Amino acid sequence: GVVRETGSICKMMDQFLPGGVTISDQLRALFMNEEESEQAGLFTEDEKDEFLYHVMWRLLAGGAMCQYEDDFTLYKNAVRGVYKDFVSVTRNSEGQIQAVSDVYHVQSLGSDQCQLFGRPD
């Protein structure tokens, strides 16, 4: 598993990625090194295209100097807050909730020399 019933994130042996990033739990492995994760395939390609997935990935990624949390609830609440700040919703004529915000995934500034994010998705 990735997260225990108590909300505790399952730990693992450290994996070291380029850029000084250390993966020491199953949740970060699932998002940052999925092809080698024990949970590979947990998300579909459509789910990986969702904005919510990308918010979680960015918050989990942190960096070499990031203080990581052991409790999933803290990540869940942070992701929920960021998502609510960026996405507006309304009810359509059928009464269903519908997102009305546009979300863009900018990967570069038009040059192969200037990639903004290191992950090729």
Side-chain angles (χ1 to χ4, degrees), residues 54-74:
H54 287 269
V55 171
M56 176 64 89
W57 181 82
R58 265 73 181 177
L59 290 180
L60 287 170
M65 302 299 287
C66 186
Q67 176 68 44
Y68 304 108
E69 298 295 338
D70 295 329
D71 185 1
F72 178 72
T73 305
L74 298 170

PDB file of all heavy atoms in Angstrom, residues 54-74:
ATOM      1  N   HIS A  54      -1.575  16.649 -11.011  1.00  0.00           N
ATOM      2  CA  HIS A  54      -0.382  17.480 -11.168  1.00  0.00           C
ATOM      3  C   HIS A  54      -0.123  18.357  -9.949  1.00  0.00           C
ATOM      4  O   HIS A  54       1.031  18.593  -9.593  1.00  0.00           O
ATOM      5  CB  HIS A  54      -0.490  18.324 -12.446  1.00  0.00           C
ATOM      6  CG  HIS A  54      -0.298  17.504 -13.669  1.00  0.00           C
ATOM      7  ND1 HIS A  54       0.929  17.321 -14.259  1.00  0.00           N
ATOM      8  CD2 HIS A  54      -1.177  16.775 -14.399  1.00  0.00           C
ATOM      9  CE1 HIS A  54       0.806  16.526 -15.306  1.00  0.00           C
ATOM     10  NE2 HIS A  54      -0.460  16.185 -15.408  1.00  0.00           N
ATOM     11  N   VAL A  55      -1.177  18.813  -9.298  1.00  0.00           N
ATOM     12  CA  VAL A  55      -0.997  19.584  -8.058  1.00  0.00           C
ATOM     13  C   VAL A  55      -0.340  18.693  -7.010  1.00  0.00           C
ATOM     14  O   VAL A  55       0.639  19.086  -6.367  1.00  0.00           O
ATOM     15  CB  VAL A  55      -2.336  20.143  -7.540  1.00  0.00           C
ATOM     16  CG1 VAL A  55      -2.172  20.747  -6.159  1.00  0.00           C
ATOM     17  CG2 VAL A  55      -2.905  21.172  -8.511  1.00  0.00           C
ATOM     18  N   MET A  56      -0.856  17.477  -6.846  1.00  0.00           N
ATOM     19  CA  MET A  56      -0.276  16.548  -5.861  1.00  0.00           C
ATOM     20  C   MET A  56       1.179  16.249  -6.209  1.00  0.00           C
ATOM     21  O   MET A  56       2.050  16.286  -5.341  1.00  0.00           O
ATOM     22  CB  MET A  56      -1.081  15.246  -5.810  1.00  0.00           C
ATOM     23  CG  MET A  56      -0.485  14.198  -4.877  1.00  0.00           C
ATOM     24  SD  MET A  56      -0.463  14.650  -3.147  1.00  0.00           S
ATOM     25  CE  MET A  56      -2.041  14.033  -2.644  1.00  0.00           C
ATOM     26  N   TRP A  57       1.453  15.991  -7.474  1.00  0.00           N
ATOM     27  CA  TRP A  57       2.822  15.668  -7.891  1.00  0.00           C
ATOM     28  C   TRP A  57       3.777  16.809  -7.547  1.00  0.00           C
ATOM     29  O   TRP A  57       4.865  16.593  -7.032  1.00  0.00           O
ATOM     30  CB  TRP A  57       2.851  15.347  -9.392  1.00  0.00           C
ATOM     31  CG  TRP A  57       4.215  14.994  -9.877  1.00  0.00           C
ATOM     32  CD1 TRP A  57       4.816  13.776  -9.775  1.00  0.00           C
ATOM     33  CD2 TRP A  57       5.148  15.857 -10.513  1.00  0.00           C
ATOM     34  NE1 TRP A  57       6.077  13.831 -10.325  1.00  0.00           N
ATOM     35  CE2 TRP A  57       6.304  15.109 -10.780  1.00  0.00           C
ATOM     36  CE3 TRP A  57       5.132  17.192 -10.883  1.00  0.00           C
ATOM     37  CZ2 TRP A  57       7.411  15.648 -11.402  1.00  0.00           C
ATOM     38  CZ3 TRP A  57       6.240  17.726 -11.492  1.00  0.00           C
ATOM     39  CH2 TRP A  57       7.359  16.953 -11.746  1.00  0.00           C
ATOM     40  N   ARG A  58       3.376  18.047  -7.829  1.00  0.00           N
ATOM     41  CA  ARG A  58       4.259  19.190  -7.559  1.00  0.00           C
ATOM     42  C   ARG A  58       4.480  19.397  -6.071  1.00  0.00           C
ATOM     43  O   ARG A  58       5.574  19.719  -5.641  1.00  0.00           O
ATOM     44  CB  ARG A  58       3.707  20.471  -8.192  1.00  0.00           C
ATOM     45  CG  ARG A  58       4.264  20.798  -9.569  1.00  0.00           C
ATOM     46  CD  ARG A  58       3.819  20.002 -10.610  1.00  0.00           C
ATOM     47  NE  ARG A  58       4.312  20.229 -11.960  1.00  0.00           N
ATOM     48  CZ  ARG A  58       3.948  19.449 -12.909  1.00  0.00           C
ATOM     49  NH1 ARG A  58       3.139  18.433 -12.670  1.00  0.00           N
ATOM     50  NH2 ARG A  58       4.384  19.634 -14.125  1.00  0.00           N
ATOM     51  N   LEU A  59       3.448  19.204  -5.264  1.00  0.00           N
ATOM     52  CA  LEU A  59       3.624  19.371  -3.821  1.00  0.00           C
ATOM     53  C   LEU A  59       4.474  18.256  -3.219  1.00  0.00           C
ATOM     54  O   LEU A  59       5.257  18.491  -2.304  1.00  0.00           O
ATOM     55  CB  LEU A  59       2.273  19.444  -3.114  1.00  0.00           C
ATOM     56  CG  LEU A  59       1.469  20.711  -3.370  1.00  0.00           C
ATOM     57  CD1 LEU A  59       0.146  20.659  -2.623  1.00  0.00           C
ATOM     58  CD2 LEU A  59       2.242  21.957  -2.980  1.00  0.00           C
ATOM     59  N   LEU A  60       4.346  17.053  -3.754  1.00  0.00           N
ATOM     60  CA  LEU A  60       5.165  15.949  -3.267  1.00  0.00           C
ATOM     61  C   LEU A  60       6.620  16.068  -3.707  1.00  0.00           C
ATOM     62  O   LEU A  60       7.523  15.659  -2.992  1.00  0.00           O
ATOM     63  CB  LEU A  60       4.615  14.610  -3.766  1.00  0.00           C
ATOM     64  CG  LEU A  60       3.341  14.128  -3.116  1.00  0.00           C
ATOM     65  CD1 LEU A  60       2.792  12.933  -3.876  1.00  0.00           C
ATOM     66  CD2 LEU A  60       3.576  13.775  -1.671  1.00  0.00           C
ATOM     67  N   ALA A  61       6.831  16.623  -4.896  1.00  0.00           N
ATOM     68  CA  ALA A  61       8.188  16.688  -5.452  1.00  0.00           C
ATOM     69  C   ALA A  61       9.106  17.508  -4.569  1.00  0.00           C
ATOM     70  O   ALA A  61      10.240  17.112  -4.296  1.00  0.00           O
ATOM     71  CB  ALA A  61       8.152  17.266  -6.866  1.00  0.00           C
ATOM     72  N   GLY A  62       8.631  18.657  -4.113  1.00  0.00           N
ATOM     73  CA  GLY A  62       9.458  19.480  -3.242  1.00  0.00           C
ATOM     74  C   GLY A  62      10.801  19.756  -3.877  1.00  0.00           C
ATOM     75  O   GLY A  62      10.894  20.329  -4.939  1.00  0.00           O
ATOM     76  N   GLY A  63      11.844  19.307  -3.260  1.00  0.00           N
ATOM     77  CA  GLY A  63      13.198  19.502  -3.740  1.00  0.00           C
ATOM     78  C   GLY A  63      14.195  19.015  -2.712  1.00  0.00           C
ATOM     79  O   GLY A  63      13.817  18.447  -1.683  1.00  0.00           O
ATOM     80  N   ALA A  64      15.445  19.259  -2.952  1.00  0.00           N
ATOM     81  CA  ALA A  64      16.500  18.744  -2.081  1.00  0.00           C
ATOM     82  C   ALA A  64      16.396  19.284  -0.654  1.00  0.00           C
ATOM     83  O   ALA A  64      16.775  18.615   0.298  1.00  0.00           O
ATOM     84  CB  ALA A  64      17.866  19.087  -2.670  1.00  0.00           C
ATOM     85  N   MET A  65      15.864  20.482  -0.482  1.00  0.00           N
ATOM     86  CA  MET A  65      15.787  21.101   0.844  1.00  0.00           C
ATOM     87  C   MET A  65      14.381  21.028   1.448  1.00  0.00           C
ATOM     88  O   MET A  65      14.106  21.650   2.455  1.00  0.00           O
ATOM     89  CB  MET A  65      16.228  22.566   0.760  1.00  0.00           C
ATOM     90  CG  MET A  65      17.634  22.744   0.223  1.00  0.00           C
ATOM     91  SD  MET A  65      18.877  21.940   1.243  1.00  0.00           S
ATOM     92  CE  MET A  65      18.906  23.030   2.629  1.00  0.00           C
ATOM     93  N   CYS A  66      13.490  20.266   0.862  1.00  0.00           N
ATOM     94  CA  CYS A  66      12.105  20.193   1.309  1.00  0.00           C
ATOM     95  C   CYS A  66      11.967  19.292   2.538  1.00  0.00           C
ATOM     96  O   CYS A  66      12.597  18.240   2.619  1.00  0.00           O
ATOM     97  CB  CYS A  66      11.232  19.656   0.177  1.00  0.00           C
ATOM     98  SG  CYS A  66       9.483  19.686   0.549  1.00  0.00           S
ATOM     99  N   GLN A  67      11.140  19.720   3.498  1.00  0.00           N
ATOM    100  CA  GLN A  67      10.825  18.890   4.665  1.00  0.00           C
ATOM    101  C   GLN A  67       9.553  18.107   4.349  1.00  0.00           C
ATOM    102  O   GLN A  67       8.489  18.691   4.210  1.00  0.00           O
ATOM    103  CB  GLN A  67      10.599  19.762   5.902  1.00  0.00           C
ATOM    104  CG  GLN A  67      10.177  18.992   7.126  1.00  0.00           C
ATOM    105  CD  GLN A  67      11.276  18.089   7.648  1.00  0.00           C
ATOM    106  OE1 GLN A  67      12.422  18.504   7.721  1.00  0.00           O
ATOM    107  NE2 GLN A  67      10.930  16.869   8.000  1.00  0.00           N
ATOM    108  N   TYR A  68       9.648  16.806   4.214  1.00  0.00           N
ATOM    109  CA  TYR A  68       8.514  15.978   3.831  1.00  0.00           C
ATOM    110  C   TYR A  68       7.704  15.586   5.047  1.00  0.00           C
ATOM    111  O   TYR A  68       8.199  15.565   6.168  1.00  0.00           O
ATOM    112  CB  TYR A  68       9.000  14.740   3.070  1.00  0.00           C
ATOM    113  CG  TYR A  68       9.824  15.132   1.871  1.00  0.00           C
ATOM    114  CD1 TYR A  68      11.189  14.952   1.846  1.00  0.00           C
ATOM    115  CD2 TYR A  68       9.216  15.736   0.785  1.00  0.00           C
ATOM    116  CE1 TYR A  68      11.940  15.350   0.746  1.00  0.00           C
ATOM    117  CE2 TYR A  68       9.958  16.137  -0.315  1.00  0.00           C
ATOM    118  CZ  TYR A  68      11.313  15.936  -0.323  1.00  0.00           C
ATOM    119  OH  TYR A  68      12.051  16.334  -1.401  1.00  0.00           O
ATOM    120  N   GLU A  69       6.449  15.261   4.817  1.00  0.00           N
ATOM    121  CA  GLU A  69       5.529  14.882   5.877  1.00  0.00           C
ATOM    122  C   GLU A  69       5.312  13.373   5.872  1.00  0.00           C
ATOM    123  O   GLU A  69       5.426  12.729   4.848  1.00  0.00           O
ATOM    124  CB  GLU A  69       4.189  15.599   5.698  1.00  0.00           C
ATOM    125  CG  GLU A  69       4.275  17.105   5.784  1.00  0.00           C
ATOM    126  CD  GLU A  69       4.683  17.603   7.161  1.00  0.00           C
ATOM    127  OE1 GLU A  69       4.505  16.868   8.163  1.00  0.00           O
ATOM    128  OE2 GLU A  69       5.202  18.727   7.241  1.00  0.00           O
ATOM    129  N   ASP A  70       4.970  12.832   7.045  1.00  0.00           N
ATOM    130  CA  ASP A  70       4.679  11.407   7.174  1.00  0.00           C
ATOM    131  C   ASP A  70       3.183  11.121   7.164  1.00  0.00           C
ATOM    132  O   ASP A  70       2.776   9.978   7.085  1.00  0.00           O
ATOM    133  CB  ASP A  70       5.274  10.861   8.470  1.00  0.00           C
ATOM    134  CG  ASP A  70       6.795  10.917   8.479  1.00  0.00           C
ATOM    135  OD1 ASP A  70       7.393  10.808   7.391  1.00  0.00           O
ATOM    136  OD2 ASP A  70       7.376  11.064   9.567  1.00  0.00           O
ATOM    137  N   ASP A  71       2.370  12.180   7.254  1.00  0.00           N
ATOM    138  CA  ASP A  71       0.919  12.041   7.340  1.00  0.00           C
ATOM    139  C   ASP A  71       0.269  12.522   6.046  1.00  0.00           C
ATOM    140  O   ASP A  71       0.418  13.681   5.662  1.00  0.00           O
ATOM    141  CB  ASP A  71       0.409  12.864   8.524  1.00  0.00           C
ATOM    142  CG  ASP A  71      -1.073  12.707   8.779  1.00  0.00           C
ATOM    143  OD1 ASP A  71      -1.740  11.933   8.054  1.00  0.00           O
ATOM    144  OD2 ASP A  71      -1.570  13.363   9.713  1.00  0.00           O
ATOM    145  N   PHE A  72      -0.463  11.628   5.382  1.00  0.00           N
ATOM    146  CA  PHE A  72      -1.098  11.956   4.110  1.00  0.00           C
ATOM    147  C   PHE A  72      -2.122  13.081   4.248  1.00  0.00           C
ATOM    148  O   PHE A  72      -2.324  13.863   3.322  1.00  0.00           O
ATOM    149  CB  PHE A  72      -1.766  10.711   3.512  1.00  0.00           C
ATOM    150  CG  PHE A  72      -2.469  10.986   2.225  1.00  0.00           C
ATOM    151  CD1 PHE A  72      -1.746  11.241   1.069  1.00  0.00           C
ATOM    152  CD2 PHE A  72      -3.850  11.018   2.164  1.00  0.00           C
ATOM    153  CE1 PHE A  72      -2.389  11.512  -0.133  1.00  0.00           C
ATOM    154  CE2 PHE A  72      -4.507  11.285   0.977  1.00  0.00           C
ATOM    155  CZ  PHE A  72      -3.773  11.537  -0.169  1.00  0.00           C
ATOM    156  N   THR A  73      -2.767  13.188   5.397  1.00  0.00           N
ATOM    157  CA  THR A  73      -3.797  14.208   5.600  1.00  0.00           C
ATOM    158  C   THR A  73      -3.250  15.608   5.345  1.00  0.00           C
ATOM    159  O   THR A  73      -3.952  16.458   4.789  1.00  0.00           O
ATOM    160  CB  THR A  73      -4.369  14.113   7.030  1.00  0.00           C
ATOM    161  OG1 THR A  73      -4.837  12.784   7.249  1.00  0.00           O
ATOM    162  CG2 THR A  73      -5.503  15.092   7.243  1.00  0.00           C
ATOM    163  N   LEU A  74      -2.013  15.863   5.714  1.00  0.00           N
ATOM    164  CA  LEU A  74      -1.409  17.183   5.482  1.00  0.00           C
ATOM    165  C   LEU A  74      -1.280  17.465   3.986  1.00  0.00           C
ATOM    166  O   LEU A  74      -1.573  18.581   3.532  1.00  0.00           O
ATOM    167  CB  LEU A  74      -0.056  17.269   6.178  1.00  0.00           C
ATOM    168  CG  LEU A  74      -0.119  17.128   7.703  1.00  0.00           C
ATOM    169  CD1 LEU A  74       1.279  16.992   8.281  1.00  0.00           C
ATOM    170  CD2 LEU A  74      -0.862  18.293   8.318  1.00  0.00           C
TER     171      LEU A  74
END
